[in-house]
Amino acid sequence: MNKKDNILIIGAGLCGSLLALRLAQRGYKVEVFESRPDLRTTDISAGRSINLALSDRGFKALRLCGVEEKAREICIPMYGRLIHDSKGNTFTSNYSGREGEYINSISRGDLNGILLTEAEKHENVTIHFNKKCSSVDIEKIIGHFKDYKTKEEFSINADVIFGTDGAGSILRKSYYLERKFLFSYSQNYLSHGYKELEIPADALGNHQISKEHLHIWPRGEYMLIALPNMDGSFTVTLFLSYDEGEYNFNNLTSEEKITSFFETQFPDALALIPSIKDEFLNNPTGALGTVKCSPWHYQNKTILMGDAAHAIVPFYGQGMNASFEDITVFDEILSHFESSREVEDWEAVFKRYEKVRKEDTDAIADLAIDNFHEMKDHVANPIFKEKRKLEMTLEENFPSAYFSKYSMVTFNENIPYAEAMKKGRAQDKALLNMVAHHDLDAITDLKEVLKKVQEETNEILEEDKIAGM
Amino acid sequence: MNKKDNILIIGAGLCGSLLALRLAQRGYKVEVFESRPDLRTTDISAGRSINLALSDRGFKALRLCGVEEKAREICIPMYGRLIHDSKGNTFTSNYSGREGEYINSISRGDLNGILLTEAEKHENVTIHFNKKCSSVDIEKIIGHFKDYKTKEEFSINADVIFGTDGAGSILRKSYYLERKFLFSYSQNYLSHGYKELEIPADALGNHQISKEHLHIWPRGEYMLIALPNMDGSFTVTLFLSYDEGEYNFNNLTSEEKITSFFETQFPDALALIPSIKDEFLNNPTGALGTVKCSPWHYQNKTILMGDAAHAIVPFYGQGMNASFEDITVFDEILSHFESSREVEDWEAVFKRYEKVRKEDTDAIADLAIDNFHEMKDHVANPIFKEKRKLEMTLEENFPSAYFSKYSMVTFNENIPYAEAMKKGRAQDKALLNMVAHHDLDAITDLKEVLKKVQEETNEILEEDKIAGM
């Protein structure tokens, strides 16, 4: 780790641009290559994850880099889920029973733009657009690129390469194909894909449904969700199986079928999506994949971060937050090694980083898949609903003693994901079983309820521990 | 599915040769291409998985193909584990409390030879050796090969291709690289590798330690195991971390270090391995990987079977058994579709096969990793030992009512792996917790013990079900 090292970052998405900013703030010299055009000057939204959920782990990293306030200016708070049943009835389910705990709908492009601009304010940062990485020589630390505009091919030598090039990472592919080490790797797709649609603003530019909620139309095997945008519109996303069930992406190929699907399943949403047919037929169907791998680094030469190392499905609203948290964790380790005089090697930093971080990114990947089933199905289940209601009451009455799994994951940035998963799953199991068996019905003192929930949770954790030896 | 279809099988290992035999028996025309030389005429053992464990699932498939008896002739029964502690003390732990339930040590090469010979007896089977598959065109159904001897390259057109080309499958790699469909894929390596060593026969050609057991030297972070061979020798396998702990493959590089490792950790084994230094330094260090993927097939054109579809680590002794069981399951589905007059398409067979089979091969993969920790560590734990002792008593006294997880997996070929895993894990959890908490100490009636174990197991299954909604 030398401030004179030539650092090459592949990818100037959310993770790459925040990483560039932070490394520049620490005094490193950074060159960033991005395959797409500069999104501050070109409209490149193409019906794909236009808005995202930003919450406390993301803010912690943005705060570290001094850009929290700029991000807050473009946030739309969402305080809970607003659930639409098939008869058109709605009910709300808050994300927390505590005051001031909410998630935020934010435009991916606008936030990315802020981070690029902040990074470029540093003279030790250069960002190149329209330069597509085609492969990485991980032994010689060379990135091979092609300029999309001039079609010219060129190579960049570096002292260290950071791959923040997303779920389809070229650096990660080089690890797989070069076979220089045992590379554990998984890419797992859900049976479902997604398609983005739009609820436009009304004639006055206002939101047509509550902008204070994340809307869900759960239908068991599929669902529709909607997140508000600053311009009064909502980005709507349909999650649907590719080829199973009565309705699926493979058989919804004609305007009639599409209309009939929405008319029977989502009539209230259909009324708000005027361009349904065009959007459905023209917007791409995206895949929902989880990527895990290890090791993330190769010697002291290259490392994967963000989605390139751990792409997750979107159902916990944690993809961007997890990538930003990578920067928080990496920065802390880098800081530690910089101040210790013993080790000066990037490899020690990379090893320590993965050792600390990997179990947490594995955990949020698994939690995100759990939430897919929760959102499309469980949210409409009476036992689940009663459990969530009870959790809100506990959080409201014991704000410093009770935290739901959702709260631990989303609002407690100092609880690692893996711990939140372990404790949260045990707590959910305890609660769901007690609700299902009416164990709490006779207890009138809320303190007693809390005590019983805690005891059951601890017993579950203890039994799992013994079973795992 | 037409008996005139040209069927190409890539790989004539255990799975490929049994598949060729079975398809030939059903009247299909089969050509098999194998990269290695014919192991019946060439010695190709090279310090890698010389012997394997054969048990009831394997026998069921061999029976279907009429080769069970031939296999039994080269089996050495192993009735339990014989565990060697670090002081040189030994104790046994049986695999079952029932009579006649044991696993078998068998030579991979000898068994493969039997299957090749049986397959070649059918005139509709041709097996080509030294023909290495380099890639598969899955769209056009063409295998590209290179002859190891003549160096000639050639291609084979087929109506359908079966990839039984093992953990490093070329067909599977083509799925990954061609990106014609969403291919979920994982390759996961353990932190440990393995190395094979030998305990030779004594001067009279007899086994030097009990040949009726699978020997284990558990040491927590690593272990040695030994399986008997027909010639009086044992194949010994060391499982050790690549780079962690005081001793690991990366630092055991000198004769002194190797000797010192064995002298302090495995003195009784060391005394039986005369060529330890040569073998340790010259035999390859193998990796331990798990492969899962989906889909296994591409349209009606190609399909993966055996290790190519689901490679697992060796700790449950089920790798070969699972691959053989693939043939049993596939044959049943093929039989069903052949006799129904509605569907005549390989794709329907392939789809149904994966739908039935995938959750079971996923389960045995996970169980095999559990057993890694059980063998190197838990077998020496007092609570685990007491639990196994209790299970032996229950199996002995209630042979038709109690089945340990091990028994369900190994001796109950009609219980699918996934069911054995689910029930077996719940039962283990119940037992370990009851033993740890001395819940059973006061119960004198064994029937009451059985009842309590069953009740606790069912409660765990019920609680898990509610938690999973």
Side-chain angles (χ1 to χ4, degrees):
Chain A
M1 300 125 52
N2 189 312
K3 301 279 157 105
K4 289 177 189 158
D5 282 345
N6 287 308
I7 295 180
L8 168 59
I9 297 178
I10 305 171
L14 292 165
C15 184
S17 53
L18 191 64
L19 175 68
L21 172 58
R22 187 60 197 154
L23 289 176
Q25 289 171 337
R26 296 195 77 92
Y28 290 94
K29 208 169 66 191
V30 179
E31 269 204 287
V32 190
F33 288 82
E34 165 60 43
S35 64
R36 286 165 298 187
D38 188 341
L39 47 69
R40 293 165 296 181
T41 54
T42 322
D43 181 16
I44 54 168
S45 67
R48 300 191 82 134
S49 59
I50 290 163
N51 52 19
L52 300 164
L54 177 59
S55 53
D56 295 41
R57 291 175 199 270
F59 281 125
K60 184 177 177 181
L62 295 172
R63 199 176 312 135
L64 172 75
C65 304
V67 286
E68 181 183 8
E69 288 316 312
K70 284 211 169 61
R72 287 210 184 262
E73 285 168 18
I74 56 168
C75 280
I76 304 176
M78 298 183 289
Y79 298 92
R81 295 167 174 163
L82 198 149
I83 293 153
H84 302 248
D85 76 14
S86 49
K87 288 173 192 146
N89 304 313
T90 61
F91 63 94
T92 60
S93 172
N94 284 353
Y95 284 126
S96 171
R98 274 173 291 271
E99 285 289 313
E101 288 189 345
Y102 51 84
I103 64 175
N104 299 276
S105 181
I106 192 167
S107 152
R108 171 197 288 270
D110 291 348
L111 179 57
N112 206 153
I114 289 171
L115 299 178
L116 290 170
T117 300
E118 288 299 312
E120 281 184 332
K121 286 182 183 167
H122 296 261
E123 62 178 16
N124 45 339
V125 172
T126 322
I127 306 177
H128 309 266
F129 294 96
N130 296 304
K131 311 282 188 288
K132 164 77 182 157
C133 182
S134 49
S135 72
V136 179
D137 184 328
I138 62 175
E139 199 64 71
K140 295 184 182 151
I141 326 180
I142 300 172
H144 300 290
F145 295 88
K146 183 171 182 178
D147 190 307
Y148 268 144
K149 284 191 166 168
T150 66
K151 309 292 173 201
E152 183 198 2
E153 293 184 7
F154 63 97
S155 300
I156 303 289
N157 281 273
D159 294 306
V160 59
I161 296 180
F162 287 76
T164 51
D165 48 345
S169 172
I170 296 298
L171 176 56
R172 198 184 63 230
K173 194 174 182 186
S174 300
Y175 286 4
Y176 176 82
L177 291 176
E178 289 204 22
R179 304 174 72 92
K180 290 195 187 298
F181 53 91
L182 292 179
F183 186 48
S184 289
Y185 171 66
S186 72
Q187 58 183 36
N188 281 299
Y189 295 98
L190 294 185
S191 52
H192 287 51
Y194 72 94
K195 193 180 284 284
E196 292 198 345
L197 308 165
E198 195 196 28
I199 296 176
D202 67 15
L204 301 169
N206 294 323
H207 292 90
Q208 297 198 59
I209 50 179
S210 165
K211 68 164 180 171
E212 302 199 330
H213 293 92
L214 188 154
H215 296 259
I216 310 183
W217 290 257
R219 296 296 179 265
E221 283 311 301
Y222 40 85
M223 68 167 162
L224 210 59
I225 70 168
L227 276 78
N229 297 316
M230 296 279 278
D231 65 0
S233 69
F234 281 82
T235 301
V236 178
T237 311
L238 170 68
F239 296 95
L240 178 69
S241 173
Y242 282 102
D243 52 15
E244 280 170 20
E246 189 185 346
Y247 301 105
N248 59 54
F249 278 121
N250 285 353
N251 71 22
L252 288 178
T253 46
S254 70
E255 293 193 357
E256 295 70 42
K257 282 183 184 164
I258 294 161
T259 314
S260 143
F261 173 52
F262 276 81
E263 270 170 359
T264 57
Q265 304 301 312
F266 310 109
D268 52 343
L270 178 63
L272 301 169
I273 310 174
S275 311
I276 179 83
K277 292 171 203 163
D278 273 1
E279 288 173 358
F280 198 99
L281 293 172
N282 297 324
N283 285 353
T285 305
L288 295 161
T290 301
V291 171
K292 293 179 182 173
C293 64
S294 178
W296 289 338
H297 74 99
Y298 178 59
Q299 298 178 353
N300 59 350
K301 300 173 175 178
T302 65
I303 187 164
L304 301 165
M305 285 178 84
D307 283 2
H310 49 75
I312 66 178
V313 294
F315 306 103
Y316 227 112
Q318 286 293 320
M320 169 176 60
N321 292 289
S323 290
F324 284 174
E325 198 179 52
D326 282 1
I327 313 293
T328 310
V329 174
F330 188 80
D331 185 72
E332 198 177 319
I333 290 162
L334 185 55
S335 180
H336 170 80
F337 277 98
E338 277 185 2
S339 60
S340 89
R341 271 151 300 175
E342 293 157 46
V343 190
E344 284 225 342
D345 190 346
W346 284 106
E347 185 164 21
V349 177
F350 295 165
K351 271 206 164 133
R352 177 83 191 136
Y353 167 67
E354 181 172 344
K355 198 168 177 65
V356 169
R357 184 69 179 143
K358 169 88 174 134
E359 67 168 342
D360 292 320
T361 56
D362 283 353
I364 192 58
D366 296 346
L367 285 166
I369 290 170
D370 292 351
N371 249 29
F372 172 48
H373 304 290
E374 179 171 318
M375 289 175 77
K376 73 180 168 49
D377 196 4
H378 307 168
V379 290
N381 176 308
I383 290 174
F384 180 87
K385 281 161 78 170
E386 194 178 331
K387 175 222 166 210
R388 279 304 286 168
K389 206 176 133 198
L390 177 58
E391 291 199 279
M392 290 308 103
T393 308
L394 290 173
E395 291 196 332
E396 209 176 308
N397 287 276
F398 309 105
S400 58
Y402 189 81
F403 298 88
S404 72
K405 184 176 77 184
Y406 190 88
S407 287
M408 286 189 269
V409 169
T410 309
F411 306 121
N412 286 269
E413 67 274 20
N414 296 321
I415 300 178
Y417 282 130
E419 196 186 321
M421 178 171 78
K422 193 175 159 190
K423 174 130 195 242
R425 281 183 173 176
Q427 193 170 264
D428 280 354
K429 186 175 178 177
L431 277 167
L432 287 167
N433 273 282
M434 288 190 290
V435 169
H437 297 133
H438 302 282
D439 292 346
L440 302 169
D441 295 5
I443 309 178
T444 48
D445 182 356
L446 207 56
K447 267 189 197 157
E448 281 302 304
V449 172
L450 175 67
K451 199 175 149 220
K452 202 157 157 55
V453 172
Q454 289 171 332
E455 281 169 3
E456 286 290 317
T457 302
N458 288 334
E459 197 176 314
I460 287 168
L461 287 168
E462 179 63 21
E463 282 173 3
D464 284 347
K465 198 175 159 192
I466 289 172
M469 306 222 58
Chain B
M1 298 125 51
N2 189 312
K3 300 281 157 106
K4 286 176 191 160
D5 283 344
N6 288 307
I7 295 180
L8 168 59
I9 296 179
I10 304 170
L14 292 165
C15 184
S17 53
L18 191 65
L19 175 67
L21 172 58
R22 188 59 198 156
L23 289 176
Q25 289 171 339
R26 298 195 77 92
Y28 291 95
K29 207 168 66 190
V30 179
E31 268 204 288
V32 189
F33 288 82
E34 165 60 44
S35 64
R36 287 164 299 187
D38 187 343
L39 47 71
R40 292 166 298 181
T41 53
T42 324
D43 181 16
I44 55 167
S45 67
R48 298 192 83 132
S49 60
I50 290 163
N51 52 22
L52 300 164
L54 178 59
S55 52
D56 296 39
R57 291 176 200 269
F59 281 124
K60 184 176 177 182
L62 294 172
R63 201 177 310 136
L64 172 73
C65 304
V67 285
E68 180 183 10
E69 288 316 312
K70 284 211 169 61
R72 289 213 184 259
E73 285 168 17
I74 56 168
C75 281
I76 305 178
M78 298 183 290
Y79 298 92
R81 295 167 175 163
L82 198 151
I83 294 153
H84 302 247
D85 76 14
S86 49
K87 290 172 190 146
N89 304 313
T90 61
F91 64 91
T92 60
S93 173
N94 284 353
Y95 284 126
S96 171
R98 275 171 291 271
E99 286 289 312
E101 288 190 345
Y102 51 83
I103 64 174
N104 299 276
S105 180
I106 192 166
S107 153
R108 171 197 288 270
D110 291 349
L111 179 57
N112 206 346
I114 289 171
L115 299 178
L116 291 170
T117 300
E118 288 300 311
E120 281 185 333
K121 286 181 183 167
H122 295 262
E123 62 179 16
N124 44 341
V125 172
T126 322
I127 307 177
H128 309 266
F129 295 96
N130 296 304
K131 311 281 188 287
K132 164 79 182 157
C133 182
S134 49
S135 72
V136 178
D137 184 328
I138 62 176
E139 199 64 73
K140 295 185 182 150
I141 326 179
I142 299 174
H144 299 290
F145 295 88
K146 183 171 181 177
D147 190 307
Y148 268 143
K149 286 189 165 169
T150 65
K151 310 291 173 201
E152 183 199 0
E153 293 183 4
F154 62 97
S155 301
I156 303 288
N157 281 274
D159 294 305
V160 59
I161 297 180
F162 287 76
T164 52
D165 48 346
S169 171
I170 296 296
L171 176 56
R172 197 184 63 230
K173 195 175 180 184
S174 301
Y175 285 4
Y176 175 82
L177 292 176
E178 289 203 20
R179 304 174 73 92
K180 289 195 187 298
F181 53 94
L182 291 180
F183 186 47
S184 290
Y185 171 65
S186 72
Q187 57 183 35
N188 281 300
Y189 295 98
L190 294 185
S191 52
H192 287 51
Y194 73 94
K195 193 179 282 286
E196 292 200 343
L197 308 166
E198 194 197 26
I199 296 176
D202 68 15
L204 300 171
N206 294 322
H207 292 90
Q208 297 197 61
I209 49 177
S210 166
K211 70 165 180 171
E212 302 200 327
H213 293 92
L214 188 154
H215 296 259
I216 310 182
W217 289 258
R219 296 295 180 266
E221 282 310 301
Y222 39 85
M223 70 168 162
L224 210 60
I225 69 166
L227 277 77
N229 297 315
M230 296 279 276
D231 65 2
S233 68
F234 281 82
T235 301
V236 178
T237 311
L238 171 67
F239 296 95
L240 179 69
S241 173
Y242 282 103
D243 53 15
E244 281 171 19
E246 188 185 348
Y247 301 106
N248 59 54
F249 278 121
N250 284 353
N251 70 22
L252 289 178
T253 47
S254 70
E255 294 194 358
E256 296 71 43
K257 281 183 185 163
I258 293 161
T259 313
S260 143
F261 173 52
F262 275 82
E263 269 170 359
T264 56
Q265 304 302 310
F266 310 108
D268 53 342
L270 178 62
L272 300 170
I273 310 175
S275 310
I276 179 84
K277 292 171 203 164
D278 273 2
E279 287 171 0
F280 198 97
L281 294 171
N282 297 323
N283 285 353
T285 305
L288 296 161
T290 300
V291 171
K292 293 179 182 173
C293 63
S294 179
W296 289 337
H297 74 99
Y298 177 60
Q299 296 178 354
N300 59 349
K301 299 175 175 179
T302 66
I303 186 164
L304 301 165
M305 284 178 85
D307 283 3
H310 49 74
I312 66 178
V313 294
F315 306 103
Y316 226 112
Q318 287 293 321
M320 169 175 61
N321 291 289
S323 291
F324 284 173
E325 198 179 53
D326 282 1
I327 313 294
T328 311
V329 174
F330 188 80
D331 185 72
E332 199 178 318
I333 289 162
L334 185 55
S335 180
H336 170 80
F337 277 98
E338 277 185 2
S339 60
S340 90
R341 270 151 300 174
E342 293 158 46
V343 190
E344 285 226 342
D345 190 346
W346 283 107
E347 185 164 21
V349 176
F350 296 164
K351 271 205 166 134
R352 178 81 192 138
Y353 168 66
E354 181 172 344
K355 197 167 178 69
V356 169
R357 185 68 180 145
K358 169 90 172 132
E359 66 168 344
D360 291 319
T361 56
D362 282 354
I364 192 59
D366 296 347
L367 286 166
I369 290 170
D370 293 350
N371 249 28
F372 172 49
H373 304 291
E374 179 170 319
M375 289 175 78
K376 74 180 167 52
D377 195 5
H378 306 168
V379 289
N381 177 307
I383 291 173
F384 181 86
K385 280 160 80 171
E386 195 179 328
K387 175 223 167 210
R388 279 303 287 167
K389 206 176 132 196
L390 177 58
E391 291 200 280
M392 289 308 103
T393 308
L394 290 172
E395 290 197 332
E396 210 175 309
N397 286 277
F398 308 105
S400 58
Y402 189 81
F403 298 88
S404 71
K405 183 177 76 184
Y406 190 88
S407 287
M408 285 190 269
V409 169
T410 309
F411 306 122
N412 286 270
E413 68 274 20
N414 296 322
I415 300 178
Y417 283 130
E419 194 185 324
M421 178 172 78
K422 192 174 161 193
K423 173 128 196 243
R425 282 183 172 175
Q427 193 169 265
D428 280 354
K429 186 175 180 179
L431 276 168
L432 287 166
N433 273 282
M434 287 191 288
V435 169
H437 298 132
H438 302 282
D439 292 347
L440 302 168
D441 296 5
I443 309 177
T444 49
D445 182 355
L446 206 57
K447 267 189 196 155
E448 281 301 308
V449 171
L450 176 66
K451 199 174 148 221
K452 202 156 158 53
V453 171
Q454 289 170 334
E455 282 170 4
E456 287 289 319
T457 303
N458 288 335
E459 197 176 315
I460 288 168
L461 288 168
E462 180 62 22
E463 283 173 2
D464 284 347
K465 198 175 158 191
I466 288 172
M469 305 219 62

